[in-house]
Amino acid sequence: MLWVTAGVVAFGFLVALEIAARHYGMPGPITNQAKEVILAPKSGPLLYGSMALMMVVLTWRERFIAAGVAVGIDVVFWLVRWAVDAKMMFGNGALWVLLGYAVIAVTRRTGRERFLLLKGVGLGLLLVAGRKTGDTWLLITSKTRPTVLDQYVATADHALGNPSWIVGKIVKATGPVGDHILDYVYIQLAVAAVVVALYQLRNVATERRFPRHHLVRTFLVIGLLGPGIYMIFPVVGPIFAYGADGSHWAVADLWPNTAPILNAPHQMPFDEITPRNCMPSLHTAWATAIFIHSRKGPRILRYAGAFWLVATLGATLGFGYHYGTDIIAGVVFTLTIEAALRSLERGWDRSGTQLVAYGAAVFTALLVSYRYLPLEMAEHPWVFGPLLILAMASVIYGYVRTTKRWEPQAPKTAPVRQPEPQPELV
């Protein structure tokens, strides 16, 4: 019943977003996803990653068949598009396989096997729907929030030394190589999440059940709650508010060469195209979740999780998409959500409740301070800068300390009894 209820709520949410998008003359998430059954998908790697998530419930033989069918369908689509000179992209085959297994689950499976396969299909489709839902949310933020709070965030960012301007100069100095690497990391964040999730779900086919908590759950909840904060605290980012990409809407063309001067901040009008998707940084939030969930993997996965977090931070700041203040907010946001999901999975207790309440309080305090104390923060950077870092560090410390106590303790083994020395016989 829980899964049925969640499915109904998710479908109702998608319908509501579809109606909202139609109100602004744009197709919604359902329409955009339906188009990708035939038309060129927006992201082929994401569709194949979603199919890979579904395949964790299949046997190895079924996986090879599913992958072969997906590739075969994509080859046919590629040839047709090449013949008619249409946009080239792959991924339709993966979506067809996902939908095909949904039909198989309903018509050919029964009982627990049907439920398991439907969960696998649902997991894959949720990842795809999450991307489409996010695109619609961004459209809604640009249409419903005519003014942005970038001046407040940029002023508060002086307390951290304007990290976006500093990292922006560094990335610019690396030339096209650094730019291309960071751009790939930034765009393919969902694919990195799929890799970590596949490791966590590697035993589903043999155990015939999903683990109670895994990365995909955290990823989806971040994507669900984050856009709500966008609506409360609309920010477009330094490259738009203080750079050439903002055109005549920008305060001035300053990023990344010249940090903005200190003035009393004001709300500023902005266009109806640029998403207000800066506060908090969800790319930082997702990369932090990948880092957390990769900690229990093999060494190469731990290294990859750390690299993706560092590279994502470099991209979000270095491309001018985020300020340092919303990076801090994104980390606190993720740890609070992760603590809540883990508490829900293991059962709420005092330590879990305190950790979630503390994380939520710190996150709220950050947003309030950015909005109402930015000038004071900028004028006293040696006070507020360390306070911001300390606030984030306190949540990190609380999360690590609390979750470490939640880990099952290895049973203590009794020491091996040594034989007593025997006197030599003469």
Side-chain angles (χ1 to χ4, degrees), residues 55-137:
M55 291 197 298
V56 298
V57 305
L58 305 180
T59 65
W60 278 107
R61 179 177 177 275
E62 291 170 333
R63 292 171 186 172
F64 283 122
I65 294 174
V69 171
V71 172
I73 293 174
D74 268 325
V75 169
V76 173
F77 271 94
W78 188 88
L79 292 174
V80 172
R81 288 179 182 135
W82 176 74
V84 299
D85 196 24
K87 179 182 177 181
M88 304 300 292
M89 178 52 73
F90 62 94
N92 302 88
L95 182 57
W96 279 45
V97 168
L98 274 170
L99 298 176
Y101 267 101
V103 175
I104 291 173
V106 174
T107 59
R108 303 293 297 275
R109 303 288 175 88
T110 58
R112 187 176 180 181
E113 289 300 311
R114 171 187 289 174
F115 180 65
L116 185 68
L117 183 53
L118 283 176
K119 283 182 70 173
V121 172
L123 196 65
L125 290 177
L126 274 176
L127 187 62
V128 177
R131 177 68 175 268
K132 301 302 179 186
T133 300
D135 293 342
T136 303
W137 261 119

Side-chain angles (χ1 to χ4, degrees), residues 53-225:
L53 282 180
M54 180 274 298
M55 291 197 298
V56 298
V57 305
L58 305 180
T59 65
W60 278 107
R61 179 177 177 275
E62 291 170 333
R63 292 171 186 172
F64 283 122
I65 294 174
V69 171
V71 172
I73 293 174
D74 268 325
V75 169
V76 173
F77 271 94
W78 188 88
L79 292 174
V80 172
R81 288 179 182 135
W82 176 74
V84 299
D85 196 24
K87 179 182 177 181
M88 304 300 292
M89 178 52 73
F90 62 94
N92 302 88
L95 182 57
W96 279 45
V97 168
L98 274 170
L99 298 176
Y101 267 101
V103 175
I104 291 173
V106 174
T107 59
R108 303 293 297 275
R109 303 288 175 88
T110 58
R112 187 176 180 181
E113 289 300 311
R114 171 187 289 174
F115 180 65
L116 185 68
L117 183 53
L118 283 176
K119 283 182 70 173
V121 172
L123 196 65
L125 290 177
L126 274 176
L127 187 62
V128 177
R131 177 68 175 268
K132 301 302 179 186
T133 300
D135 293 342
T136 303
W137 261 119
L138 298 184
L139 168 69
I140 293 174
T141 62
S142 64
K143 298 294 185 182
T144 60
R145 292 295 179 266
T147 60
V148 297
L149 303 176
D150 281 76
Q151 292 188 29
Y152 293 86
V153 181
T155 303
D157 217 39
H158 278 75
L160 297 172
N162 301 301
S164 180
W165 272 257
I166 296 173
V167 180
K169 293 178 182 177
I170 295 173
V171 172
K172 187 176 180 180
T174 62
V177 176
D179 185 86
H180 290 325
I181 293 175
L182 292 181
D183 184 60
Y184 181 82
V185 169
Y186 192 83
I187 293 175
Q188 300 300 340
L189 186 66
V191 177
V194 168
V195 172
V196 176
L198 288 176
Y199 175 79
Q200 293 181 319
L201 304 176
R202 66 193 183 280
N203 295 325
V204 171
T206 55
E207 297 177 357
R208 311 310 295 167
R209 65 179 180 86
F210 280 83
R212 294 180 62 86
H213 181 56
H214 50 82
L215 175 60
V216 180
R217 296 178 69 206
T218 307
F219 229 71
L220 292 174
V221 173
I222 290 173
L224 179 65
L225 298 181

Side-chain angles (χ1 to χ4, degrees), residues 278-291:
C278 195
M279 177 65 71
S281 168
L282 291 198
H283 264 78
T284 299
W286 283 318
T288 303
I290 291 173
F291 175 80

Side-chain angles (χ1 to χ4, degrees), residues 218 222 284-286 288-289 292 329-339:
T218 307
I222 290 173
T284 299
W286 283 318
T288 303
I292 292 171
V331 173
V332 174
F333 185 67
T334 297
L335 294 175
T336 305
I337 290 175
E338 181 70 18

